[in-house]
């Protein structure tokens, strides 16, 4: 049974994973490149727990107990005694590989490793560790505390025992799982990202404005959020990284990233997290379209 979980990366996904893991009663070490970043991640968790208290979903005492289960670190050595370590760093393969190689130097030999990658080959990532049989993809959806789905992806070397333990772990979180094969983008992003990319092409070619495209999908297909709003929420750099994985991994021109997406990322217009993407979030009130 998993009791102690390390989470690498205290950003949007990492702090969410730490949040739901601590709520489920496990101890968590939330690690990032600096204590400042790790502290910011825990502050987000505290804010989100505060919302749950305000809604009557838990008591202040329960919130305090959950926060006490989360400790912080600015190094990977601190995770050496964890039963499970989940990597939730940026969607960049070389960054992830360097993390795994450093982690394996000190991580106890029986521990499992999981990656929250949204598109990169689990088999390839696992091959850069000392335990490919105890390595697996556990892809949470964003925002983690709210979204119910988790994709479970085995690499070619992942053992049945590892799959069972991680399936049990996600069950304890109250999540519902979908098992995916180890192909680029897995299930969700194999379908979602080309739709977002096509919405960006629709904007790029002048077929519709930002608002018209989002309104069309919200009201015409009953999507809760338009594709360009969703892209800003995910992060345009993440969207581009996933499209590049699909394009390179599947060798099909239909996955070519839209040039406008590339331009926005080059400009540093990454969406909500940078204050500007397909919408400008820097002003008061409702975000305004940038095109």
């Amino acid at each position: 049974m998993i009791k102690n979980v390390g989470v690498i990366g205290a950003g949007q996904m990492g702090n969410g994973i730490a949040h739901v893991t601590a709520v489920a009663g496990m101890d968590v070490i939330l690690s990032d490149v600096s204590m400042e970043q790790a502290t910011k991640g825990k502050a987000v968790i505290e804010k989100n727990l505060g919302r749950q208290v305000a809604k009557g979903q838990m008591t202040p005492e329960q919130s305090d107990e959950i926060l006490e289960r989360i400790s912080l670190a600015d190094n990977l050595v601190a995770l050496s005694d964890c039963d499970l370590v989940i990597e939730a760093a940026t969607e960049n393969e070389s960054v992830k590989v360097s993390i795994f190689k450093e982690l394996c130097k000190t991580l106890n030999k029986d521990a499992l490793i999981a990656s929250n990658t949204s598109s990169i080959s689990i088999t390839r990532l696992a091959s850069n560790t000392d335990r490919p049989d105890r390595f697996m993809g556990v892809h949470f959806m964003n925002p983690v505390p709210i979204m119910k789905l988790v994709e479970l992806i085995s690499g070619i070397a992942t053992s049945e025992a590892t799959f069972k333990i991680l399936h049990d772990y996600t069950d304890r979180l109250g999540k519902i799982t979908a098992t995916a094969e180890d192909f680029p983008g897995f299930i969700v992003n194999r379908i979602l990202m080309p739709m977002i990319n096509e919405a960006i092409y629709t904007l790029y070619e002048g077929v519709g404005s930002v608002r018209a495209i989002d309104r069309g999908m919200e009201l015409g297909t009953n999507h809760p959020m338009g594709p360009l709003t969703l892209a800003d929420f995910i992060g345009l750099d993440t969207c581009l990284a996933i499209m590049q994985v699909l394009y390179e991994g599947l060798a099909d021109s239909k996955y070519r990233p839209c040039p406008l997406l590339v331009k926005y990322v080059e400009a540093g217009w990454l969406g909500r997290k940078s204050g500007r993407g397909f919408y400008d979030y820097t002003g008061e009130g409702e975000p305004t379209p940038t095109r």
Side-chain angles (χ1 to χ4, degrees):
M1 167 126 8
I2 300 293
K3 295 179 181 177
N4 305 300
V5 178
V7 179
I8 301 172
Q12 195 166 269
M13 297 304 295
N15 70 59
I17 295 167
H19 176 146
V20 296
T21 302
V23 166
M26 289 165 267
D27 292 326
V28 181
I29 301 174
L30 182 59
S31 172
D32 212 308
V33 292
S34 69
M35 286 303 288
E36 180 185 7
Q37 290 300 111
T39 302
K40 283 181 182 176
K42 189 169 182 178
V44 172
I45 297 170
E46 186 169 5
K47 182 179 177 182
N48 289 336
L49 287 171
R51 287 199 187 106
Q52 292 179 273
V53 171
K55 292 177 181 176
Q57 296 172 345
M58 66 175 64
T59 65
E61 292 75 21
Q62 287 172 321
S63 174
D64 291 343
E65 288 173 11
I66 291 163
L67 286 168
E68 285 175 14
R69 287 198 280 271
I70 302 172
S71 56
L72 304 178
D74 61 358
N75 61 83
L76 300 181
V77 176
L79 310 182
S80 59
D81 292 327
C82 289
D83 303 317
L84 165 66
V85 175
I86 302 173
E87 170 273 316
T90 186
E91 191 69 355
N92 179 300
E93 186 166 349
S94 62
V95 170
K96 292 180 186 296
V97 167
S98 66
I99 287 171
F100 293 136
K101 288 187 173 178
E102 187 66 27
L103 175 67
C104 288
K105 291 177 183 177
T106 57
L107 185 62
N108 82 80
K109 64 182 179 59
D110 296 320
L112 304 181
I113 303 175
S115 177
N116 184 58
T117 179
S118 50
S119 61
I120 299 168
S121 166
I122 299 302
T123 298
R124 200 161 62 237
L125 290 176
S127 72
N128 288 283
T129 74
D130 60 355
R131 62 197 76 195
D133 60 321
R134 294 193 293 280
F135 187 103
M136 194 167 148
V138 181
H139 179 217
F140 290 82
M141 304 296 124
N142 185 27
V144 178
I146 295 171
M147 301 296 278
K148 296 293 288 183
L149 184 74
V150 176
E151 284 183 306
L152 296 180
I153 310 102
S154 294
I156 196 169
T158 304
S159 71
E160 283 294 327
T162 296
F163 179 87
K164 184 179 185 309
I165 292 168
L166 287 172
H167 197 294
D168 289 346
Y169 160 73
T170 52
D171 282 347
R172 289 169 66 192
L173 303 183
K175 301 298 186 185
I176 296 169
T177 59
T179 303
E181 292 299 320
D182 188 17
F183 279 82
F186 317 130
I187 296 170
V188 174
N189 282 317
R190 173 77 175 263
I191 298 166
L192 175 65
M193 283 302 159
M195 185 199 76
I196 287 175
N197 195 51
E198 194 63 27
I200 300 169
Y201 266 114
T202 305
L203 178 66
Y204 178 59
E205 294 168 3
V207 178
S209 66
V210 169
R211 283 210 193 280
I213 292 164
D214 275 352
R215 188 174 294 135
M217 295 303 289
E218 287 165 7
L219 303 181
T221 62
N222 207 28
H223 286 204
M225 186 185 296
L228 301 178
T229 299
L230 180 56
D232 277 356
F233 181 74
I234 294 168
L236 302 191
D237 52 340
T238 301
C239 292
L240 177 58
I242 295 169
M243 285 308 302
Q244 286 171 331
V245 167
L246 288 171
Y247 187 44
E248 292 165 11
L250 298 169
D252 191 324
S253 61
K254 72 181 180 181
Y255 298 111
R256 183 172 70 96
C258 179
L260 184 61
L261 174 59
V262 176
K263 285 293 182 190
Y264 269 51
V265 173
E266 287 176 344
W269 292 15
L270 307 181
R272 283 182 179 270
K273 62 186 173 185
S274 68
R276 185 181 295 243
F278 293 111
Y279 292 87
D280 187 332
Y281 301 91
T282 58
E284 295 294 327
E286 286 292 309
T288 55
T290 53
R291 285 178 78 87

